[in-house]
Short mmCIF file of all heavy atoms in Angstrom, two decimals:
data_model
loop_
_atom_site.label_atom_id
_atom_site.label_comp_id
_atom_site.label_asym_id
_atom_site.label_seq_id
_atom_site.Cartn_x
_atom_site.Cartn_y
_atom_site.Cartn_z
N PRO A 1222 9.61 17.13 -13.20
CA PRO A 1222 10.34 18.32 -13.63
C PRO A 1222 11.58 18.02 -14.44
O PRO A 1222 11.93 18.86 -15.38
CB PRO A 1222 10.71 19.00 -12.32
CG PRO A 1222 10.58 17.99 -11.24
CD PRO A 1222 9.55 17.03 -11.71
N TYR A 1223 12.20 16.90 -14.22
CA TYR A 1223 13.35 16.55 -15.04
C TYR A 1223 12.96 16.07 -16.44
O TYR A 1223 13.64 16.39 -17.40
CB TYR A 1223 14.15 15.45 -14.28
CG TYR A 1223 14.63 15.86 -13.01
CD1 TYR A 1223 13.97 15.57 -11.80
CD2 TYR A 1223 15.81 16.67 -12.85
CE1 TYR A 1223 14.43 15.93 -10.56
CE2 TYR A 1223 16.18 17.09 -11.66
CZ TYR A 1223 15.54 16.73 -10.47
OH TYR A 1223 15.97 17.15 -9.25
N MET A 1224 11.81 15.38 -16.54
CA MET A 1224 11.32 15.06 -17.86
C MET A 1224 10.99 16.26 -18.60
O MET A 1224 11.16 16.38 -19.85
CB MET A 1224 10.13 14.05 -17.72
CG MET A 1224 10.49 12.74 -17.11
SD MET A 1224 8.97 11.66 -16.91
CE MET A 1224 8.57 11.36 -18.72
N SER A 1225 10.33 17.23 -17.94
CA SER A 1225 9.95 18.48 -18.55
C SER A 1225 11.15 19.28 -18.89
O SER A 1225 11.21 19.88 -20.05
CB SER A 1225 9.11 19.29 -17.61
OG SER A 1225 8.69 20.57 -18.21
N LEU A 1226 12.17 19.26 -18.12
CA LEU A 1226 13.48 19.97 -18.43
C LEU A 1226 14.12 19.49 -19.70
O LEU A 1226 14.63 20.17 -20.54
CB LEU A 1226 14.42 19.85 -17.24
CG LEU A 1226 15.66 20.72 -17.30
CD1 LEU A 1226 15.33 22.17 -17.15
CD2 LEU A 1226 16.61 20.34 -16.12
N ALA A 1227 14.01 18.13 -19.96
CA ALA A 1227 14.58 17.47 -21.08
C ALA A 1227 13.56 17.49 -22.24
O ALA A 1227 13.92 16.88 -23.30
CB ALA A 1227 15.05 16.02 -20.79
N ARG A 1228 12.42 18.05 -22.06
CA ARG A 1228 11.34 18.17 -23.12
C ARG A 1228 10.93 16.72 -23.55
O ARG A 1228 10.64 16.58 -24.78
CB ARG A 1228 11.82 18.94 -24.32
CG ARG A 1228 12.40 20.33 -23.97
CD ARG A 1228 11.43 21.32 -23.53
NE ARG A 1228 12.02 22.68 -23.64
CZ ARG A 1228 12.80 23.21 -22.80
NH1 ARG A 1228 13.08 22.56 -21.62
NH2 ARG A 1228 13.36 24.42 -22.93
N MET A 1229 10.88 15.80 -22.66
CA MET A 1229 10.42 14.47 -23.02
C MET A 1229 8.97 14.46 -23.46
O MET A 1229 8.54 13.51 -24.18
CB MET A 1229 10.64 13.51 -21.90
CG MET A 1229 12.07 13.35 -21.39
SD MET A 1229 13.06 12.61 -22.68
CE MET A 1229 12.56 10.93 -22.68
N ASP A 1230 8.27 15.42 -23.09
CA ASP A 1230 6.77 15.57 -23.46
C ASP A 1230 6.66 16.21 -24.82
O ASP A 1230 5.53 16.27 -25.36
CB ASP A 1230 6.00 16.34 -22.44
CG ASP A 1230 6.63 17.77 -22.23
OD1 ASP A 1230 7.84 17.90 -22.18
OD2 ASP A 1230 5.80 18.69 -22.03
N LYS A 1231 7.82 16.74 -25.44
CA LYS A 1231 7.76 17.40 -26.70
C LYS A 1231 8.87 16.85 -27.60
O LYS A 1231 9.92 17.40 -27.73
CB LYS A 1231 7.89 18.93 -26.57
CG LYS A 1231 6.78 19.55 -25.76
CD LYS A 1231 7.03 21.03 -25.54
CE LYS A 1231 5.85 21.71 -24.80
NZ LYS A 1231 6.06 23.12 -24.55
N PRO A 1232 8.58 15.68 -28.16
CA PRO A 1232 9.63 14.97 -28.97
C PRO A 1232 10.03 15.53 -30.25
O PRO A 1232 10.95 15.14 -30.91
CB PRO A 1232 9.08 13.50 -29.16
CG PRO A 1232 7.59 13.76 -29.06
CD PRO A 1232 7.33 14.86 -28.08
N ILE A 1233 9.40 16.64 -30.70
CA ILE A 1233 9.61 17.23 -32.03
C ILE A 1233 11.07 17.62 -32.11
O ILE A 1233 11.68 17.46 -33.12
CB ILE A 1233 8.67 18.44 -32.26
CG1 ILE A 1233 9.00 19.07 -33.59
CG2 ILE A 1233 8.65 19.39 -31.10
CD1 ILE A 1233 8.91 18.27 -34.83
N GLY A 1234 11.64 18.19 -31.07
CA GLY A 1234 13.05 18.54 -31.09
C GLY A 1234 13.95 17.37 -31.32
O GLY A 1234 15.02 17.57 -31.99
N THR A 1235 13.63 16.31 -30.74
CA THR A 1235 14.52 15.06 -30.97
C THR A 1235 14.44 14.59 -32.41
O THR A 1235 15.47 14.24 -32.98
CB THR A 1235 13.99 13.92 -30.04
OG1 THR A 1235 14.13 14.36 -28.63
CG2 THR A 1235 14.84 12.66 -30.25
N TRP A 1236 13.28 14.68 -32.95
CA TRP A 1236 13.14 14.28 -34.40
C TRP A 1236 13.93 15.27 -35.25
O TRP A 1236 14.63 14.79 -36.20
CB TRP A 1236 11.64 14.33 -34.88
CG TRP A 1236 10.89 13.19 -34.39
CD1 TRP A 1236 9.86 13.13 -33.46
CD2 TRP A 1236 11.05 11.77 -34.83
NE1 TRP A 1236 9.39 11.90 -33.34
CE2 TRP A 1236 10.05 10.98 -34.16
CE3 TRP A 1236 11.86 11.19 -35.76
CZ2 TRP A 1236 9.89 9.65 -34.33
CZ3 TRP A 1236 11.74 9.81 -35.89
CH2 TRP A 1236 10.79 9.03 -35.27
N LEU A 1237 13.89 16.52 -35.02
CA LEU A 1237 14.60 17.52 -35.87
C LEU A 1237 16.14 17.35 -35.68
O LEU A 1237 16.86 17.63 -36.67
CB LEU A 1237 14.15 18.98 -35.45
CG LEU A 1237 12.72 19.24 -35.76
CD1 LEU A 1237 12.36 20.66 -35.25
CD2 LEU A 1237 12.41 19.16 -37.27
N LEU A 1238 16.53 16.90 -34.54
CA LEU A 1238 17.98 16.66 -34.36
C LEU A 1238 18.40 15.37 -35.03
O LEU A 1238 19.52 15.20 -35.56
CB LEU A 1238 18.26 16.58 -32.83
CG LEU A 1238 19.73 16.28 -32.48
CD1 LEU A 1238 20.65 17.43 -32.87
CD2 LEU A 1238 19.85 16.13 -30.91
N TYR A 1239 17.42 14.36 -35.06
CA TYR A 1239 17.78 13.03 -35.54
C TYR A 1239 17.79 12.97 -37.11
O TYR A 1239 18.70 12.32 -37.66
CB TYR A 1239 16.77 12.04 -34.99
CG TYR A 1239 16.93 10.62 -35.51
CD1 TYR A 1239 18.01 9.96 -35.28
CD2 TYR A 1239 15.86 10.12 -36.34
CE1 TYR A 1239 18.18 8.59 -35.76
CE2 TYR A 1239 16.06 8.81 -36.82
CZ TYR A 1239 17.16 8.09 -36.57
OH TYR A 1239 17.32 6.77 -37.07
N TRP A 1240 16.91 13.70 -37.75
CA TRP A 1240 16.80 13.46 -39.20
C TRP A 1240 18.05 13.79 -39.99
O TRP A 1240 18.39 12.96 -40.80
CB TRP A 1240 15.59 14.31 -39.75
CG TRP A 1240 14.27 13.69 -39.42
CD1 TRP A 1240 13.22 14.26 -38.92
CD2 TRP A 1240 13.90 12.29 -39.69
NE1 TRP A 1240 12.15 13.45 -38.80
CE2 TRP A 1240 12.55 12.20 -39.27
CE3 TRP A 1240 14.56 11.16 -40.21
CZ2 TRP A 1240 11.79 10.99 -39.38
CZ3 TRP A 1240 13.79 9.98 -40.29
CH2 TRP A 1240 12.52 9.85 -39.89
N PRO A 1241 18.80 14.77 -39.74
CA PRO A 1241 20.08 14.97 -40.52
C PRO A 1241 21.06 13.79 -40.23
O PRO A 1241 21.80 13.47 -41.19
CB PRO A 1241 20.62 16.30 -39.96
CG PRO A 1241 19.37 17.03 -39.54
CD PRO A 1241 18.54 16.06 -38.93
N CYS A 1242 20.99 13.27 -38.99
CA CYS A 1242 21.86 12.13 -38.75
C CYS A 1242 21.39 10.91 -39.66
O CYS A 1242 22.24 10.20 -40.29
CB CYS A 1242 21.73 11.65 -37.29
SG CYS A 1242 22.10 12.97 -36.05
N ALA A 1243 20.11 10.66 -39.67
CA ALA A 1243 19.57 9.51 -40.42
C ALA A 1243 19.85 9.71 -41.91
O ALA A 1243 20.09 8.77 -42.65
CB ALA A 1243 18.05 9.38 -40.16
N TRP A 1244 19.67 10.94 -42.42
CA TRP A 1244 19.95 11.18 -43.86
C TRP A 1244 21.39 10.87 -44.14
O TRP A 1244 21.72 10.15 -45.14
CB TRP A 1244 19.76 12.67 -44.19
CG TRP A 1244 18.42 13.19 -43.94
CD1 TRP A 1244 17.21 12.53 -43.75
CD2 TRP A 1244 18.04 14.62 -43.82
NE1 TRP A 1244 16.13 13.40 -43.53
CE2 TRP A 1244 16.64 14.64 -43.58
CE3 TRP A 1244 18.73 15.84 -43.92
CZ2 TRP A 1244 16.02 15.87 -43.37
CZ3 TRP A 1244 18.07 17.03 -43.75
CH2 TRP A 1244 16.71 17.03 -43.53
N SER A 1245 22.33 11.35 -43.29
CA SER A 1245 23.73 11.16 -43.60
C SER A 1245 24.16 9.68 -43.44
O SER A 1245 24.87 9.14 -44.25
CB SER A 1245 24.54 11.95 -42.59
OG SER A 1245 25.96 11.86 -42.85
N ILE A 1246 23.65 8.94 -42.43
CA ILE A 1246 23.93 7.58 -42.21
C ILE A 1246 23.42 6.69 -43.45
O ILE A 1246 24.20 5.92 -44.03
CB ILE A 1246 23.26 7.08 -40.99
CG1 ILE A 1246 23.96 7.58 -39.75
CG2 ILE A 1246 23.29 5.49 -40.93
CD1 ILE A 1246 23.25 7.34 -38.42
N THR A 1247 22.29 6.99 -43.87
CA THR A 1247 21.70 6.17 -44.96
C THR A 1247 22.30 6.52 -46.29
O THR A 1247 22.56 5.61 -47.09
CB THR A 1247 20.15 6.45 -45.04
OG1 THR A 1247 19.57 6.25 -43.69
CG2 THR A 1247 19.48 5.38 -45.89
N MET A 1248 22.74 7.78 -46.50
CA MET A 1248 23.38 8.13 -47.73
C MET A 1248 24.82 7.43 -47.77
O MET A 1248 25.21 6.93 -48.81
CB MET A 1248 23.49 9.64 -47.84
CG MET A 1248 22.25 10.35 -48.14
SD MET A 1248 22.33 12.12 -48.28
CE MET A 1248 23.12 12.36 -49.94
N ALA A 1249 25.48 7.42 -46.62
CA ALA A 1249 26.77 6.79 -46.59
C ALA A 1249 26.65 5.31 -46.65
O ALA A 1249 27.53 4.65 -47.30
CB ALA A 1249 27.50 7.14 -45.26
N ALA A 1250 25.59 4.77 -46.05
CA ALA A 1250 25.38 3.26 -46.24
C ALA A 1250 25.12 2.95 -47.67
O ALA A 1250 25.49 1.88 -48.16
CB ALA A 1250 24.21 2.89 -45.35
N TYR A 1251 24.38 3.79 -48.37
CA TYR A 1251 24.05 3.56 -49.77
C TYR A 1251 25.32 3.54 -50.64
O TYR A 1251 25.56 2.64 -51.48
CB TYR A 1251 23.04 4.67 -50.29
CG TYR A 1251 22.87 4.77 -51.71
CD1 TYR A 1251 21.99 3.91 -52.39
CD2 TYR A 1251 23.56 5.70 -52.52
CE1 TYR A 1251 21.78 3.96 -53.75
CE2 TYR A 1251 23.27 5.81 -53.88
CZ TYR A 1251 22.44 4.95 -54.45
OH TYR A 1251 22.21 5.05 -55.84
N SER A 1252 26.16 4.57 -50.39
CA SER A 1252 27.40 4.70 -51.18
C SER A 1252 28.41 3.57 -50.95
O SER A 1252 29.24 3.27 -51.79
CB SER A 1252 28.00 6.08 -51.04
OG SER A 1252 28.52 6.19 -49.69
N SER A 1253 28.35 3.08 -49.72
CA SER A 1253 29.39 2.10 -49.30
C SER A 1253 28.86 0.61 -49.28
O SER A 1253 29.65 -0.29 -48.97
CB SER A 1253 29.92 2.39 -47.91
OG SER A 1253 28.82 2.25 -46.90
N ALA A 1254 27.58 0.48 -49.70
CA ALA A 1254 26.94 -0.85 -49.72
C ALA A 1254 27.05 -1.56 -48.34
O ALA A 1254 27.27 -2.73 -48.22
CB ALA A 1254 27.59 -1.77 -50.78
N MET A 1255 26.79 -0.78 -47.33
CA MET A 1255 26.78 -1.30 -45.99
C MET A 1255 25.71 -2.31 -45.76
O MET A 1255 24.54 -2.00 -46.26
CB MET A 1255 26.68 -0.11 -44.92
CG MET A 1255 26.46 -0.56 -43.49
SD MET A 1255 26.35 0.85 -42.32
CE MET A 1255 28.06 0.95 -41.90
N PRO A 1256 25.90 -3.37 -44.99
CA PRO A 1256 24.77 -4.34 -44.75
C PRO A 1256 23.64 -3.65 -44.00
O PRO A 1256 23.86 -2.75 -43.18
CB PRO A 1256 25.46 -5.43 -43.92
CG PRO A 1256 26.90 -5.31 -44.31
CD PRO A 1256 27.15 -3.90 -44.54
N LEU A 1257 22.47 -4.13 -44.27
CA LEU A 1257 21.30 -3.59 -43.62
C LEU A 1257 21.36 -3.53 -42.13
O LEU A 1257 20.90 -2.58 -41.42
CB LEU A 1257 20.04 -4.31 -44.08
CG LEU A 1257 19.51 -4.03 -45.53
CD1 LEU A 1257 18.45 -5.06 -45.91
CD2 LEU A 1257 18.99 -2.62 -45.60
N GLY A 1258 21.79 -4.60 -41.54
CA GLY A 1258 21.94 -4.74 -39.99
C GLY A 1258 22.81 -3.71 -39.48
O GLY A 1258 22.48 -3.11 -38.46
N ALA A 1259 23.92 -3.41 -40.08
CA ALA A 1259 24.86 -2.43 -39.64
C ALA A 1259 24.27 -1.01 -39.73
O ALA A 1259 24.46 -0.19 -38.85
CB ALA A 1259 26.15 -2.47 -40.44
N CYS A 1260 23.53 -0.81 -40.85
CA CYS A 1260 22.88 0.58 -40.99
C CYS A 1260 21.86 0.71 -39.91
O CYS A 1260 21.73 1.76 -39.33
CB CYS A 1260 22.23 0.58 -42.40
SG CYS A 1260 21.41 2.15 -42.79
N ALA A 1261 21.07 -0.35 -39.66
CA ALA A 1261 20.02 -0.23 -38.69
C ALA A 1261 20.61 0.04 -37.31
O ALA A 1261 20.01 0.84 -36.44
CB ALA A 1261 19.20 -1.50 -38.65
N TRP A 1262 21.73 -0.63 -36.97
CA TRP A 1262 22.38 -0.41 -35.72
C TRP A 1262 22.84 1.08 -35.54
O TRP A 1262 22.58 1.73 -34.49
CB TRP A 1262 23.59 -1.28 -35.60
CG TRP A 1262 24.58 -0.87 -34.50
CD1 TRP A 1262 25.78 -0.31 -34.69
CD2 TRP A 1262 24.45 -0.94 -33.09
NE1 TRP A 1262 26.39 0.01 -33.49
CE2 TRP A 1262 25.61 -0.39 -32.48
CE3 TRP A 1262 23.36 -1.43 -32.30
CZ2 TRP A 1262 25.75 -0.30 -31.13
CZ3 TRP A 1262 23.57 -1.30 -30.89
CH2 TRP A 1262 24.68 -0.81 -30.34
N ASN A 1263 23.37 1.65 -36.62
CA ASN A 1263 23.77 3.05 -36.56
C ASN A 1263 22.59 4.03 -36.41
O ASN A 1263 22.68 4.98 -35.63
CB ASN A 1263 24.60 3.42 -37.82
CG ASN A 1263 26.05 3.05 -37.71
OD1 ASN A 1263 26.83 3.65 -37.05
ND2 ASN A 1263 26.40 1.92 -38.37
N LEU A 1264 21.51 3.73 -37.10
CA LEU A 1264 20.30 4.53 -36.98
C LEU A 1264 19.76 4.49 -35.56
O LEU A 1264 19.35 5.55 -35.03
CB LEU A 1264 19.28 4.07 -38.02
CG LEU A 1264 19.53 4.32 -39.44
CD1 LEU A 1264 18.51 3.59 -40.33
CD2 LEU A 1264 19.54 5.83 -39.76
N ALA A 1265 19.73 3.28 -34.93
CA ALA A 1265 19.24 3.15 -33.57
C ALA A 1265 20.20 3.94 -32.59
O ALA A 1265 19.74 4.56 -31.60
CB ALA A 1265 19.14 1.68 -33.18
N LEU A 1266 21.47 3.76 -32.79
CA LEU A 1266 22.45 4.36 -31.91
C LEU A 1266 22.33 5.89 -31.96
O LEU A 1266 22.28 6.61 -30.93
CB LEU A 1266 23.84 3.93 -32.31
CG LEU A 1266 25.00 4.35 -31.37
CD1 LEU A 1266 24.90 3.64 -30.04
CD2 LEU A 1266 26.39 4.05 -32.01
N PHE A 1267 22.22 6.44 -33.13
CA PHE A 1267 22.05 7.89 -33.35
C PHE A 1267 20.69 8.37 -32.81
O PHE A 1267 20.60 9.54 -32.36
CB PHE A 1267 22.33 8.32 -34.77
CG PHE A 1267 23.72 8.52 -35.15
CD1 PHE A 1267 24.57 7.53 -35.19
CD2 PHE A 1267 24.17 9.86 -35.29
CE1 PHE A 1267 25.92 7.67 -35.52
CE2 PHE A 1267 25.47 10.06 -35.64
CZ PHE A 1267 26.43 8.99 -35.72
N GLY A 1268 19.69 7.53 -32.88
CA GLY A 1268 18.37 7.92 -32.28
C GLY A 1268 18.47 8.06 -30.77
O GLY A 1268 17.90 8.98 -30.26
N THR A 1269 19.17 7.12 -30.22
CA THR A 1269 19.35 7.24 -28.66
C THR A 1269 20.20 8.48 -28.39
O THR A 1269 19.84 9.23 -27.44
CB THR A 1269 20.15 6.00 -28.21
OG1 THR A 1269 19.40 4.77 -28.56
CG2 THR A 1269 20.36 6.05 -26.67
#
Side-chain angles (χ1 to χ4, degrees):
Y1223 299 100
M1224 294 179 68
S1225 181
L1226 191 64
R1228 310 289 197 276
M1229 297 296 288
D1230 57 321
K1231 296 178 180 177
I1233 176 61
T1235 300
W1236 283 112
L1237 295 175
L1238 181 62
Y1239 176 66
W1240 283 129
C1242 304
W1244 302 342
S1245 183
I1246 289 169
T1247 312
M1248 290 177 77
Y1251 169 80
S1252 66
S1253 64
M1255 171 178 270
L1257 285 170
C1260 181
W1262 162 254
N1263 278 285
L1264 289 171
L1266 188 66
F1267 273 71
T1269 303

